[in-house]
């Protein structure tokens, strides 16, 4: 472990950037929860930091810290250690195993979707610590994992593995298929091998064992493809951050470094192909005004905002880039009742700043951000690829409201 | 926009962002790389131009001719601060002040800070000694003691409001809630305060600070002002956020939160820099580069036991005298010798004795800036930032 907490000079820049600290006085903020308390945490001690789970792991403190301290990671380690030594609530157990939940729910999609919308069931969920301030995302029987019938292009010098992640897999397979077809239409060989959850929900819910189990399975599959000359592409920025940051980092996966080095954000990859003159897409005008919400985990990836570079190339598209606010949902964080109030406050603030641009659509790379902001802004929320697909006249059609 | 950029600015503080904004406003393709949020977020948000006298511009004219202000010329300094004020007016965070006359603002320690340009929320902070001042504080707010603050004012009083939260960030966030603001204003009206000014810690909102400030002032029908707090400093954060967002709005690209891992050189020029991540380093390519990484506190300069190093390009660093001369028990005294350390540049802001022909340097990393000695931090940042942008503009 990096003992970087000693580099903290207590400047409070991380505190200024902590969304949870601003709205929930129970959370002492990243400085205190991270580097300040770290010196009192010994290996043998049982963690007493009851508030440690209030950190949403948005990583804004790490992005802001000018001294290379990683408060969010210090806190994450403590969350995991707290999770090991204390009883984990049902909500945490459920969300840690989000992948199985998704597999089950999409198999029984019709039933589950109806069931989750019943008022009585919502009450039961609340009793078990789940929050229902906004509807749970709908599930699809024909998830991405069941796209085995798709064959695609046989051969191409550029080969990519699409790591689609749970949200696209179970809840928005249409976007996933759109991205797959977009990549194929640009002349790439695309494969979507059987894959599991990236492991982030388990990490975020204090269960490192489950996170490692998922990560090992993915690592074996992805590393195999990388050895055969494939690049890995992700669209969900949280999955992406887990693959590139946590696999070689906190999860300590042996092939983690190799995966991190060969894994690309979808939009970053498109920009790269354009820069290398490998593709020369002709962007048709898109007469839309969008507010582009930068997910915290995209900021944390350190690759800039590549979708904005693509938007720049699309004639007629008016876009506003906004990166000051966390949407507040942070994956499963906001779906837990104890975080509900925090998530709602942050969601309202972020949605209000997006709406101030008076957009036709909200755009964000992260499925959770889209759910939350779409809900609070009352506007449709799209993945950047949906805008790109529209410009490149891909089958996936979106129309102006 | 994407790589290769016309200009890559390294450092996202006042100077770097000022340079970057000046360039994107002229339609250039610009990237800003910053390893974290700048010290500007911790500042009072006031612009110190030259604080060791009554007349800032007059003071600058008397500085040694190797000081960065003198290198770029007094006229350019004035122009750059006009540009800054124009930018902030448009950004909805207007600044007031006269470049020829310094002003005083009250600090949380009851002392006066001498500065030049202040946000409008501190315009009335220069008080007559016998004027009545009523200080409002918030329950639990640390290091903001009304009796301390008014120790220099016989004619004063204070009241404390319970906002339910006690940190500057959290209180400022509450002010963004309209119901909370109304509740607060009603409470203030019920206090039936005597005639005079009302002072608040600088927590009156974040994004909508000006409208919150104006509403309180109008409802109370009197002058009010904010007193900057110790960090987290909301006026510093407001200034930084407006700057950063303006840059984004104009189409600039940000790379935030990662340090520079390596520099690619090609025939006496910098070709690209890469950012360290746990995986593949992110490559940022540019035609011209601006170095605005700040001094020791910001990490632009790093002091080891026997040397001072520039951390990104390993540029030749000027060191004042012998190692024994760098020592002084008090780092923050005005005129500490080590303050002179930094990168020496010519009048085009190109580093002296450097192998790179496409690099410009601005901000407090410049040698002889002596921010503490002259009280000129944000002033030199803004002036040299605009100057570096102009130098780039000439070459593009």
């Amino acid at each position: 472990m990096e003992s970087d907490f000693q580099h903290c000079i207590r400047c409070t820049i991380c505190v200024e950037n902590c969304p949870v600290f601003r709205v929930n006085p129970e959370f002492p903020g990243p400085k205190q929860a991270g580097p300040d308390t770290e010196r009192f945490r010994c290996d043998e001690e049982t963690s007493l930091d009851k508030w440690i789970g209030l950190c949403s792991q948005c990583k804004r403190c790490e992005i802001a810290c000018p001294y290379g301290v990683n408060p969010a990671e210090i806190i994450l380690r403590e969350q995991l250690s707290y999770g090991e030594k204390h009883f984990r609530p049902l909500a945490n157990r459920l969300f840690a195993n989000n992948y199985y939940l998704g597999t089950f729910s999409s198999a029984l999609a019709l039933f589950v979707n109806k069931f989750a919308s019943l008022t009585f069931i919502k009450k039961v969920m609340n009793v078990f610590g789940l929050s229902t301030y906004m509807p749970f995302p709908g599930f699809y029987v024909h998830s991405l994992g069941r796209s085995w019938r798709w064959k695609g292009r046989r051969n191409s010098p550029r080969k990519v593995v699409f790591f689609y992640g749970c949200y696209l897999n179970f809840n928005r397979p249409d976007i996933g298929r759109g991205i797959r077809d977009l990549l194929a239409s640009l002349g790439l060989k695309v494969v979507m091998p059987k894959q599991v959850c990236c492991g982030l929900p388990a990490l975020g819910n204090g269960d490192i064992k489950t996170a490692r189990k998922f990560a090992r399975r993915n690592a074996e599959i992805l590393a195999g493809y990388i050895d055969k000359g494939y690049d890995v592409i992700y669209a969900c920025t949280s999955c992406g951050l887990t693959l590139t940051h946590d696999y070689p980092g906190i999860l300590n996966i042996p092939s983690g470094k190799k995966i991190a080095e060969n894994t690309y954000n979808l939009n970053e990859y498109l920009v790269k192909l354009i820069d290398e003159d490998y593709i020369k897409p002709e962007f048709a005008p898109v007469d839309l005004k969008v507010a582009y919400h930068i997910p915290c985990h995209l900021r944390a990836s350190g690759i800039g905002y590549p979708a904005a570079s693509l938007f720049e190339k699309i004639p007629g598209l008016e876009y506003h880039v906004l990166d000051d606010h966390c949407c507040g949902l942070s994956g499963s964080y906001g779906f837990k009742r104890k975080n509900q109030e925090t998530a709602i406050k942050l969601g309202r603030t972020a949605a209000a700043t997006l709406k101030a641009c008076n957009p036709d659509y909200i755009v964000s790379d992260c499925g959770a951000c889209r759910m939350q902001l779409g809900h609070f802004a009352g506007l449709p929320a799209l993945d950047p690829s949906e805008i790109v697909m529209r410009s490149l006249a891909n089958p996936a059609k979106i129309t102006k409201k | 926009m994407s790589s290769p950029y016309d200009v890559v600015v390294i450092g996202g503080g006042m100077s770097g962002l000022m340079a970057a904004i000046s360039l994107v406003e002229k339609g250039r393709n610009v990237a800003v790389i910053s390893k974290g949020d700048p010290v500007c977020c911790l500042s009072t948000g006031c612009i110190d131009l030259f604080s060791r006298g009554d007349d800032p511009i007059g003071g600058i004219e008397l500085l040694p001719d190797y000081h960065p202000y003198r290198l770029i010329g007094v006229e350019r300094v004035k122009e750059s601060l006009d540009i800054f004020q124009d930018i902030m007016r448009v950004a909805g965070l207007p600044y007031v002040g006269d470049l020829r006359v310094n002003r005083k603002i009250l600090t949380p320690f009851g002392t006066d800070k001498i500065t030049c340009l202040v946000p409008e929320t501190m315009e009335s902070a220069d008080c007559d000694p016998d004027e009545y001042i009523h200080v409002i504080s918030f329950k639990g707010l640390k290091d903001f003691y009304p009796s301390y603050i008014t120790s220099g004012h016989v004619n004063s009083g204070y009241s404390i409001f319970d906002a339910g939260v006690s940190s500057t960030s959290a209180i400022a966030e509450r002010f963004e809630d309209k119901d909370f603001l109304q509740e607060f204003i009603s409470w203030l009206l019920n206090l039936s305060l005597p005639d005079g000014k009302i002072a608040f810690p600088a927590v009156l909102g974040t994004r909508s600070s000006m409208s919150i400030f104006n509403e309180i002032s109008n409802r109370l029908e009197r002058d009010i002002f904010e007193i900057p707090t110790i960090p987290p400093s909301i006026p510093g954060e407001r200034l930084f956020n407006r700057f950063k967002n303006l840059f984004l709005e104009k189409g600039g690209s940000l790379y935030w939160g990662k340090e520079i891992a390596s520099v690619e050189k090609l025939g006496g020029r910098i070709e690209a820099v890469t950012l360290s991540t746990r995986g593949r380093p992110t490559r940022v390519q540019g035609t011209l580069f601006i170095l605005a990484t700040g001094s020791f506190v910001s990490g632009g300069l790093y002091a080891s036991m026997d040397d001072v190093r520039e951390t990104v390009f390993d540029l030749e660093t000027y060191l004042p005298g012998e190692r024994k001369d760098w020592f002084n028990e008090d780092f923050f005294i005005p005129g500490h010798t080590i303050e002179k350390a930094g990168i020496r540049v010519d009048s085009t802001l190109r580093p002296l004795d450097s192998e790179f022909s496409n690099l410009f340097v601005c901000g407090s990393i410049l040698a002889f800036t002596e921010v503490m000695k002259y009280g000129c931090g944000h002033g030199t940042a803004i002036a040299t930032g605009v100057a570096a942008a102009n130098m780039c503009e000439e070459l593009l």
Side-chain angles (χ1 to χ4, degrees), chain A residues 26-302:
Chain A
E26 306 272 302
F27 183 57
K31 180 173 79 73
Q32 236 187 79
D36 281 5
T37 316
E38 189 64 6
R39 64 193 65 242
F40 300 112
R41 292 179 185 129
C42 305
D43 288 343
E44 311 81 38
E45 249 176 61
T46 304
S47 172
L48 295 170
D49 309 333
K50 281 190 187 145
W51 33 257
I52 201 79
L54 296 176
C55 165
S56 71
Q57 285 297 317
C58 71
K59 317 264 189 205
R60 295 186 84 90
C61 51
E62 293 186 2
I63 301 159
C65 177
Y67 302 103
V69 180
N70 294 313
E73 191 154 323
I74 298 172
I75 294 170
L76 177 59
R77 286 179 196 279
E78 191 52 26
Q79 285 177 339
L80 293 168
S81 139
Y82 192 88
E84 270 173 19
K85 290 167 191 160
H86 294 79
F87 175 77
R88 283 188 298 115
L90 180 77
N92 288 50
R93 287 168 192 268
L94 214 53
F95 288 128
N97 293 290
N98 176 45
Y99 174 72
Y100 300 118
L101 202 66
T103 309
F104 170 80
S105 303
S106 70
L108 301 170
L110 287 174
F111 173 71
V112 170
N113 291 346
K114 181 74 193 152
F115 190 71
S117 67
L118 298 174
T119 316
F120 168 72
I121 296 303
K122 284 186 179 171
K123 292 248 158 67
V124 175
M125 288 194 205
N126 292 346
V127 171
F128 285 104
L130 273 69
S131 165
T132 50
Y133 69 87
M134 74 172 171
F136 271 84
F139 289 91
Y140 290 81
V141 177
H142 195 41
S143 65
L144 284 177
R146 288 165 216 237
S147 299
W148 45 268
R149 268 193 234 114
W150 187 75
K151 287 288 180 269
R153 186 179 289 262
R154 289 287 150 114
N155 257 317
S156 165
R158 292 272 186 174
K159 297 174 283 191
V160 295
V161 189
F162 181 29
F163 188 87
Y164 39 73
C166 293
Y167 182 74
L168 293 190
N169 185 10
F170 301 124
N171 307 112
R172 290 305 301 271
D174 56 324
I175 299 179
R177 292 197 180 92
I179 292 171
R180 175 196 73 187
D181 296 344
L182 172 73
L183 290 170
S185 74
L186 293 171
L188 309 180
K189 175 170 181 168
V190 188
V191 293
M192 297 200 300
K194 173 101 181 126
Q195 48 191 284
V196 294
C197 166
C198 67
L200 182 61
L203 270 183
N205 285 290
D207 183 356
I208 196 165
K209 283 199 193 97
T210 306
R212 273 218 180 91
K213 187 178 74 187
F214 284 139
R216 282 208 196 96
R217 276 175 66 184
N218 285 326
E220 198 184 321
I221 299 159
L222 297 177
Y225 275 100
I226 290 168
D227 289 341
K228 285 188 270 175
Y230 284 74
D231 291 322
V232 181
I233 306 282
Y234 64 83
C236 165
T237 43
S238 292
C239 297
L241 188 67
T242 311
L243 293 176
T244 56
H245 190 78
D246 294 333
Y247 278 25
I250 196 165
L251 291 170
N252 206 7
I253 302 298
S255 54
K257 186 141 181 68
K258 184 198 283 177
I259 290 169
E261 278 166 0
N262 293 285
T263 298
Y264 295 81
N265 169 290
L266 167 67
N267 304 303
E268 178 194 20
Y269 202 71
L270 294 179
V271 171
K272 176 180 142 82
L273 294 180
I274 294 170
D275 284 350
E276 289 171 3
D277 271 342
Y278 186 81
I279 56 170
K280 291 191 183 84
E282 281 177 25
F283 290 100
V286 173
D287 181 25
L288 283 180
K289 184 173 174 184
V290 299
Y292 178 28
H293 166 85
I294 304 290
C296 300
H297 287 177
L298 172 61
R299 295 187 78 219
S301 302

Side-chain angles (χ1 to χ4, degrees), chain B residues 171-238:
Chain B
I171 299 171
E173 192 62 46
R174 293 231 60 190
F175 271 99
E176 294 287 331
D177 175 355
K178 289 197 172 61
D179 296 339
F180 176 83
L181 177 61
Q182 293 316 319
E183 184 195 330
F184 180 68
I185 292 175
S186 312
W187 175 81
L188 280 173
L189 288 169
N190 281 337
L191 292 175
S192 316
L193 301 174
D195 281 347
K197 289 178 181 170
I198 306 183
F200 303 88
V203 296
L204 305 179
T206 55
R207 305 172 285 286
S208 343
S209 59
M210 275 321 296
S211 66
I212 292 167
F213 179 83
N214 288 333
E215 181 159 1
I216 297 175
S217 178
N218 292 340
R219 293 278 298 278
L220 294 174
E221 296 173 335
R222 64 175 86 202
D223 281 344
I224 64 170
F225 64 90
E226 286 189 310
I227 300 173
T229 64
I230 62 152
S233 168
I234 305 302
E237 187 195 309
R238 286 176 198 149

Side-chain angles (χ1 to χ4, degrees), chain A residues 11-13 16-17 21-22 63-67 73 245 249 257 260-261 263-264 268 300 302 304 309 323-324 349, chain B residues 1 3 35-38 41-42 167 173 206-207 231-233 237 244-245 254-258 278-280 282 297:
Chain A
C11 72
T12 71
I13 278 179
E16 276 184 18
N17 279 278
F21 179 75
R22 278 179 178 267
I63 301 159
C65 177
Y67 302 103
E73 191 154 323
H245 190 78
K257 186 141 181 68
E261 278 166 0
T263 298
Y264 295 81
E268 178 194 20
S309 304
D323 69 354
D324 273 347
T349 303
Chain B
M1 293 196 212
S3 253
K35 67 172 179 174
D37 285 11
C41 300
L42 306 171
S167 70
E173 192 62 46
T206 55
R207 305 172 285 286
S233 168
E237 187 195 309
K244 188 207 68 187
N245 289 340
L254 287 182
Y255 294 84
W256 216 263
K258 302 285 177 198
R278 287 210 174 132
R280 185 186 61 259
T282 305
V297 178

